[in-house]
Amino acid sequence: MRYLLFLLGFFGALLFVTTSVWAGLQIPGYDPISQFISESYANGVPNADIFQKAFFIAGILLASFGFLAPIGLPRSLRLKVCFFTFALCYGVGTMVTAYFPCDFGCVLDKEHPSASQLIHNTMGLLTYITVPFCLLGIGFELKKKDIPSKLWLVSLVCGGVSLTFVVLLFADPEGPYIGLFQRIIEGGILSWTLCCASFFLKSSKN
């Protein structure tokens, strides 16, 4: 089971990162510093359906990782709640935002917003509000369990970094560095996922 957890976390994170980079490279003039990841697979973007499907699959892998991860950790209701919330808000959230992409340019039409744009924005907001706190909660709980690993510290650092840049992103959602801030948030979450997956791989060999 722990080897399966490694595969789910590793390939989920890898597919998310690969798709994010690949999708951006397909658009002339796309700027990852000032543009959201969602803009690279928005409705109207060439080959958007391919990238939407790739993100959807990444979401399935990440959701499965989150739902199953507590099996490989000390029994704890708090860990279950944090991992299940991660699975729902980040894993299923990635699936939802891929299935309901934003409109071209990801600019909300305040007079006639599309249902897809509204769902996409709402899910993205929920994800960034909750997931950093999930990582922090996992970190504090693992520290109390005193497992022979620094996963608790990684969880706190990645959760703290993600939360910091969520605050910066929300403070200026139309600023010149929104793409950079979002990628740091995602980088913190996905780095944690990879470290967590590596923990399961090492423990499966013991």
Side-chain angles (χ1 to χ4, degrees):
M1 176 57 74
R2 291 185 177 184
Y3 187 67
L4 173 62
L5 288 171
F6 162 73
L7 294 176
L8 291 170
F10 178 80
F11 284 107
L14 180 64
L15 181 57
F16 190 105
V17 172
T18 302
T19 305
S20 299
V21 174
W22 183 26
L25 291 174
Q26 303 304 303
I27 305 174
Y30 179 82
D31 182 8
I33 301 297
S34 62
Q35 291 181 267
F36 288 119
I37 295 171
S38 300
E39 294 182 56
S40 65
Y41 64 94
N43 287 321
V45 172
N47 301 316
D49 57 327
I50 297 175
F51 302 119
Q52 291 162 9
K53 291 174 182 176
F55 277 116
F56 192 87
I57 294 171
I60 293 175
L61 295 173
L62 292 167
S64 301
F65 174 78
F67 284 127
L68 295 174
I71 296 174
L73 293 167
R75 294 184 64 179
S76 166
L77 178 59
R78 290 181 181 177
L79 283 178
K80 280 188 177 181
V81 170
C82 288
F83 271 102
F84 282 16
T85 304
F86 168 85
L88 287 170
C89 292
Y90 196 72
V92 176
T94 299
M95 296 164 62
V96 171
T97 53
Y99 193 79
F100 296 99
C102 63
D103 300 329
F104 188 81
C106 290
V107 178
L108 180 65
D109 185 341
K110 296 181 180 179
E111 294 185 0
H112 304 288
S114 70
S116 183
Q117 177 83 60
L118 287 174
I119 294 171
H120 185 95
N121 286 7
T122 302
M123 192 69 246
L125 178 65
L126 180 62
T127 296
Y128 286 163
I129 287 175
T130 57
V131 174
F133 289 105
C134 292
L135 271 57
L136 291 171
I138 290 169
F140 285 121
E141 188 65 13
L142 288 177
K143 189 175 189 301
K144 289 196 299 184
K145 294 297 181 182
D146 197 29
I147 62 173
S149 168
K150 292 297 183 181
L151 184 58
W152 67 270
L153 181 58
V154 172
S155 301
L156 293 179
V157 171
C158 290
V161 169
S162 295
L163 181 58
T164 298
F165 282 89
V166 165
V167 172
L168 292 173
L169 179 63
F170 287 176
D172 190 11
E174 297 181 358
Y177 302 111
I178 53 175
L180 176 63
F181 292 167
Q182 185 191 31
R183 282 164 176 79
I184 294 175
I185 296 166
E186 298 285 354
I189 296 169
L190 293 170
S191 294
W192 170 82
T193 303
L194 288 171
C195 289
C196 199
S198 297
F199 165 78
F200 290 124
L201 177 63
K202 292 177 182 177
S203 61
S204 70
K205 297 177 179 179
N206 295 333

